[in-house]
Amino acid sequence: QQSGRMRFELACARCHGSGRTRTLCRHCRGEGRLARTETLDVRIPLGMSDGGRVRLAGKGNAGLRGGEPGDLYIVTAVRPHEYFERRGDDIHTIVPITVSEAALGARIEVPTIDGRSLLKIPPGTQSGQLFRMREKGAPSARTGRRGDHIVEARIMLPKVMDERQKQMLRDFSKLEREDPRADVYARAAR
């Protein structure tokens, strides 16, 4: 629930919005309405997205010459989060994983809008691979159903600190039989 001060046009109390008493109303200068500041409490529905509108019936400016007041529309502006990115009702995040977690598979904790949740990383996961965590996204303002949380895995290379680690990587590279650029060469030759 939000509240804020807004400036409205309300019907003139002296001429009752007509703009005249016997002559031109001096209080509203014949317009039939006066500017006043009013504080309103507005309930923003759960899951409201950026640019969404909330209608407050009869809370807009007073009509001319005693006419009915109009409706007030509040247009929401949702600040972006530094980690969670909202796309529709889905939440997108990037989660770093280690080389060994990607190669061997793992269960990792992933931050969600509800707190941490476990995500299974299958063996052989590639950098940029997407995983869907069902109904862990934002609630829909229309239906109330929740979107999904889409996790992009990013493999983080280790920082090689000593000679022992370098030697382990050299030994590992000798075991690799697959050329990661073979597909690129084949497509480029066409």
Side-chain angles (χ1 to χ4, degrees):
Q1 183 158 347
Q2 298 289 321
S3 66
R5 296 175 56 82
M6 297 187 182
R7 192 164 179 84
F8 295 98
E9 300 281 331
L10 302 174
C12 177
R14 290 211 178 154
C15 65
H16 304 289
S18 68
R20 298 184 173 271
T21 48
R22 287 186 187 162
T23 59
L24 203 61
C25 177
R26 291 185 323 212
H27 195 63
C28 67
R29 296 188 177 110
E31 192 167 320
R33 54 189 188 174
L34 296 170
R36 295 239 170 92
T37 301
E38 186 178 340
T39 300
L40 296 174
D41 287 331
V42 179
R43 182 176 284 306
I44 305 296
L46 189 64
M48 184 65 71
S49 61
D50 193 48
R53 296 186 331 165
V54 176
R55 177 178 169 247
L56 300 174
K59 293 293 186 179
N61 286 338
L64 289 174
R65 311 287 184 257
E68 293 292 316
D71 296 339
L72 172 65
Y73 287 90
I74 306 291
V75 179
T76 59
V78 179
R79 274 185 273 147
H81 192 274
E82 65 182 72
Y83 178 70
F84 300 109
E85 179 187 347
R86 184 172 177 173
R87 297 182 195 166
D89 292 332
D90 292 340
I91 301 290
H92 289 250
T93 57
I94 297 172
V95 176
I97 61 174
T98 65
V99 172
S100 58
E101 288 172 334
L104 302 173
R107 287 191 178 273
I108 63 170
E109 283 189 333
V110 174
T112 68
I113 59 175
D114 299 322
R116 292 181 181 182
S117 290
L118 280 177
L119 175 66
K120 181 181 177 190
I121 302 293
T125 294
Q126 300 296 311
S127 194
Q129 193 167 337
L130 301 178
F131 298 95
R132 179 179 307 272
M133 299 175 76
R134 299 224 179 263
E135 296 183 7
K136 292 284 187 184
S140 170
R142 291 187 194 123
T143 65
R145 292 189 62 223
R146 292 185 67 167
D148 298 332
H149 185 133
I150 309 299
V151 177
E152 179 182 336
R154 287 266 174 92
I155 299 174
M156 303 304 290
L157 296 176
K159 294 178 183 167
V160 179
M161 303 302 250
D162 60 22
E163 194 56 42
R164 181 175 166 260
Q165 289 174 321
K166 287 180 185 178
Q167 188 56 47
M168 289 174 72
L169 287 172
R170 286 185 197 110
D171 292 343
F172 179 74
S173 70
K174 290 176 186 173
L175 296 174
E176 291 182 299
R177 293 185 173 89
E178 194 175 307
D179 183 358
R181 293 169 293 281
D183 185 48
V184 172
Y185 300 144
R187 285 188 288 156
R190 290 182 194 162

